[in-house]
Amino acid sequence: MYRFDSRVRYSETDERGCLSITGIMNYLQDCSTFHSEDVGGGLAYLNEHHQAWWLSSWQIVIDRYPRLGERIVMGTWPYERKGIYAYRNFTIQDLKGGYLVRANSVWFLFDTKAGRPVRVKEEDVKRYGGPEERLAMDYAPRKIALPEKYEEREPVLVMKHHIDTNHHVNNAQYVEIVRELLPDDFCITELRAEYKKAAVLGDSMIPQVCRTEEGYVAALCDMDKNPYAMIWMRG
């Protein structure tokens, strides 16, 4: 397992004084990024080899939101690979080892020169060690379906602050956009996200939001109603 320690900063908290859902997602992706950097497979290596690790889906279970000032430990490890997909678990724990957040993620390796995904080879993942044992949690399907009845909201324009080093909308930003459409008192306890295609600067995303018994399901779609991302939330 790869680990790094931190402390919840005020700039990362929400209106309740807890680490925000976007802050949680940022910590998780920072953890895998640090892992890649520390084993020689970071951004410089990927750019040189015309590669990028792109996220296909998240499942994030929040056992307890970390509080302002709380010291936390992030952990991540790969546990499996199949075809073009590589699977990775994440945790955020308190200093006593209790789980605050448990997560599963599915990634694929993208050839930036050819503009397509490529099969994950042993040489692409051996530097990360493992595979390790899969984290104990209830694993949900990768794919998310939008119910037939939904409410369409005003389009959201992709701005510069949404974009990351891959020159498309960062995975956490899709969730932040959807969160802005939800009631203020809705607290996410489990989140799933499926990424269909990358939105880039200047795109307009049309939110389609549906209330469910468990929480909400939302799609962020292009002008032809094809989804960029599907977001499922339990609360």
Side-chain angles (χ1 to χ4, degrees):
M1 180 188 294
Y2 179 86
R3 299 176 187 267
F4 84 94
D5 301 342
S6 190
R7 189 180 183 190
V8 178
R9 301 167 178 84
Y10 181 78
S11 59
E12 299 167 334
T13 59
D14 58 18
E15 64 277 8
R16 299 171 298 129
C18 294
L19 183 61
S20 67
I21 186 64
T22 307
I24 287 172
M25 297 180 74
N26 286 338
Y27 266 120
L28 300 184
Q29 64 179 338
D30 284 346
C31 191
S32 58
T33 300
F34 289 158
H35 192 185
S36 293
E37 293 290 337
D38 288 357
V39 299
L43 285 179
Y45 172 88
L46 292 170
N47 288 336
E48 181 182 349
H49 291 80
H50 307 289
Q51 293 178 336
W53 284 106
W54 284 13
L55 187 62
S56 176
S57 67
W58 273 123
Q59 181 189 3
I60 301 172
V61 177
I62 302 167
D63 297 299
R64 176 174 70 78
Y65 278 87
R67 296 180 294 268
L68 171 64
E70 186 170 2
R71 298 187 184 278
I72 53 178
V73 181
M74 273 58 61
T76 186
W77 64 95
Y79 68 85
E80 191 176 10
R81 73 176 192 272
K82 293 180 182 178
I84 67 168
Y85 294 114
Y87 299 78
R88 177 180 282 269
N89 281 140
F90 292 84
T91 58
I92 299 179
Q93 295 172 277
D94 60 24
L95 295 187
K96 294 182 179 180
Y99 288 129
L100 304 175
V101 177
R102 294 168 292 151
N104 184 48
S105 61
V106 183
W107 303 75
F108 61 91
L109 193 60
F110 192 80
D111 186 323
T112 58
K113 197 170 185 178
R116 57 179 175 81
V118 293
R119 189 178 184 87
V120 179
K121 301 177 182 177
E122 177 65 25
E123 63 196 58
D124 298 317
V125 296
K126 65 180 180 181
R127 62 171 54 87
Y128 296 103
E132 304 293 340
E133 186 175 347
R134 191 169 76 158
L135 178 66
M137 58 183 287
D138 292 328
Y139 286 81
R142 180 171 61 88
K143 293 189 174 298
I144 300 169
L146 183 71
E148 293 183 2
K149 294 183 179 180
Y150 57 82
E151 180 184 353
E152 190 166 288
R153 306 291 184 87
E154 289 296 318
V156 177
L157 181 66
V158 176
M159 309 289 282
K160 290 181 180 178
H161 68 269
H162 296 128
I163 304 299
D164 63 17
T165 57
N166 291 315
H167 306 292
H168 60 226
V169 175
N170 182 263
N171 73 86
Q173 289 296 321
Y174 294 100
V175 175
E176 183 67 13
I177 289 169
V178 170
R179 195 177 73 89
E180 291 291 337
L181 306 173
L182 305 182
D184 292 340
D185 61 352
F186 182 74
C187 180
I188 300 170
T189 57
E190 183 175 356
L191 165 74
R192 291 166 55 206
E194 180 190 1
Y195 302 100
K196 297 280 197 176
K197 66 174 185 173
V200 299
L201 185 65
D203 282 344
S204 288
M205 295 190 288
I206 302 173
Q208 299 173 346
V209 183
C210 177
R211 184 75 166 95
T212 68
E213 291 184 2
E214 296 174 305
Y216 289 88
V217 179
L220 294 172
C221 300
D222 63 18
M223 303 306 288
D224 295 321
K225 306 298 178 67
N226 298 311
Y228 293 107
M230 304 288 299
I231 312 295
W232 177 97
M233 291 156 289
R234 186 201 307 274

